[in-house]
């Protein structure tokens, strides 16, 4: 039987402001990418999400990013490699405190936003992220885009590398994500998201924004928690996957 992990970005609030419906999403997904305070999230939110995830048996992942609260981690930044490595380790360590307190552990690391896209091709920044993960825990899996420099360097460093696909993002013909600033980059049609989810899980392919069939072999499928109707869409995706014989389970 085919199996796939279902992950979502959670804990993306700050203070009194909440963006994601963490409690409801944690009843659907198998892995939670928890914001670690640099693009969103704060100590109280991180603790709460870790407790909820541990209660439900959902794996806790550190979603590390550039230090960019104002831009939600989606603005391009040039951070010196040594600084970036230290900040990645710092974010993982902060989340680990709350994961352990909840009786769990940080199970993997995933970059967010601009950092995620940067380390697809930028070897220097990718190497800095890998260094940061190694500083925190030399056994942590790294979640990223298939064919990225990040996963290549993580594998060379001995870190488990896990490929990821996006059910609600448009792809280029090269298998990368269409930049968010372009029209159609985020797919909001629930029917299209469901069809893409099944196709990615069963055949490892996706249709690009120009109509090309692109190979995207992935062990984990991401749904963004900050999109309208995210909880209901996540439920539908999981239900459809299971209905066609795909087992939904955590990779870590």
């Amino acid at each position: 039987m085919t199996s796939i992990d279902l992950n979502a970005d959670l804990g993306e609030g700050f203070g009194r402001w909440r963006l994601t419906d963490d409690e409801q999403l944690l009843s659907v997904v198998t892995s939670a990418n928890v914001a670690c305070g640099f693009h969103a999230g704060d100590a109280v939110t991180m603790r709460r999400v870790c407790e909820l995830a541990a209660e439900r048996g959902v794996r806790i992942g550190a979603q590390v990013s550039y230090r960019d609260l104002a831009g939600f981690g989606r603005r391009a930044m040039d951070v010196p490699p040594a600084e970036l490595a230290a900040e990645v380790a710092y974010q993982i360590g902060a989340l680990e405190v709350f994961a352990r307190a909840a009786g769990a552990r940080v199970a993997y690391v995933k970059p967010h936003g601009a950092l995620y896209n940067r380390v697809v091709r930028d070897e220097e920044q990718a190497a800095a992220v890998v260094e940061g993960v190694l500083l925190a825990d030399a056994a942590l899996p790294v979640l990223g885009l298939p064919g990225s420099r990040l996963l290549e360097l993580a594998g060379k460093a001995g870190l488990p590398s896990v490929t990821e696909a996006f059910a609600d993002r448009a792809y280029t013909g090269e298998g990368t994500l269409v930049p968010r600033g372009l029209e159609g980059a985020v797919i909001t049609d629930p029917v299209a998201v469901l069809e893409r989810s099944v196709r990615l899980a069963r055949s490892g392919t996706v249709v690009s924004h120009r109509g090309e069939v692109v190979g995207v072999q992935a062990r984990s499928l991401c749904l963004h928690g900050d999109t309208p109707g995210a909880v209901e869409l996540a439920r539908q995706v999981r239900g459809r996957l299971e209905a066609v014989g795909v087992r939904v389970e955590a990779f870590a």
Side-chain angles (χ1 to χ4, degrees):
M1 180 184 289
T2 301
S3 67
I4 198 163
D5 173 62
L6 190 61
N7 78 73
D9 303 341
L10 301 178
E12 292 184 326
F14 195 83
R16 297 177 63 184
W17 174 66
R18 290 191 182 184
L19 180 62
T20 49
D21 189 341
D22 300 323
E23 186 165 3
Q24 293 301 314
L25 282 168
L26 284 167
S27 68
V28 182
V29 300
T30 48
S31 296
N33 317 315
V34 184
C36 299
F38 273 39
H39 75 279
D42 55 30
V44 173
T45 303
M46 291 162 68
R47 181 180 183 183
R48 176 176 53 82
V49 174
C50 284
E51 289 173 347
L52 290 170
E55 288 173 5
R56 290 162 171 74
V58 176
R59 301 299 186 269
I60 297 169
Q63 189 166 41
V64 299
S65 72
Y66 288 126
R67 189 188 291 271
D68 181 27
L69 274 177
F72 198 61
R74 288 180 176 160
R75 297 186 293 191
M77 303 182 77
D78 289 311
V79 180
E83 182 178 336
L84 179 58
E87 291 188 337
V88 166
Y90 178 92
Q91 291 174 78
I92 297 168
L95 188 64
E96 178 70 4
V97 168
F98 298 118
R100 286 193 181 191
R105 296 289 301 273
V106 170
Y108 64 95
V109 178
K110 174 185 172 177
H112 165 81
L115 181 58
Y116 187 97
N117 291 316
R118 181 76 172 267
V119 297
V120 170
R121 294 192 175 94
D122 191 314
E123 183 161 357
E124 186 177 66
Q125 295 283 279
V129 172
V130 170
E131 182 185 347
V133 176
L134 291 170
L135 282 170
D137 184 340
L140 277 177
V142 176
L143 187 60
L145 206 67
S148 64
R149 298 297 289 158
L150 174 67
L151 293 192
E152 178 185 347
L153 295 176
K156 288 180 178 179
L159 295 169
S161 57
V162 183
T163 53
E164 176 184 40
F166 292 82
D168 54 5
R169 288 294 309 278
Y171 278 81
T172 69
E174 292 73 43
T176 57
L177 301 179
V178 172
R180 277 184 174 268
L182 298 181
E183 185 178 354
V186 178
I187 297 168
T188 57
D189 178 9
V191 174
V193 173
L194 292 174
E195 291 176 350
R196 289 162 68 87
S197 298
V198 171
R199 181 168 187 154
L200 283 162
R202 299 183 73 180
S203 69
T205 62
V206 68
V207 177
S208 79
H209 69 312
R210 297 190 185 279
E212 308 136 303
V213 176
V214 181
V216 183
Q217 294 290 339
R219 179 66 188 87
S220 186
L221 184 66
C222 179
L223 287 170
H224 286 90
D226 61 340
T227 55
V231 173
E232 181 56 30
L233 184 58
R235 289 194 180 112
Q236 290 183 33
V237 167
R238 179 160 187 165
R240 179 65 63 85
L241 289 171
E242 292 175 337
V244 299
V246 177
R247 185 171 61 247
V248 179
E249 62 180 6
F251 67 82

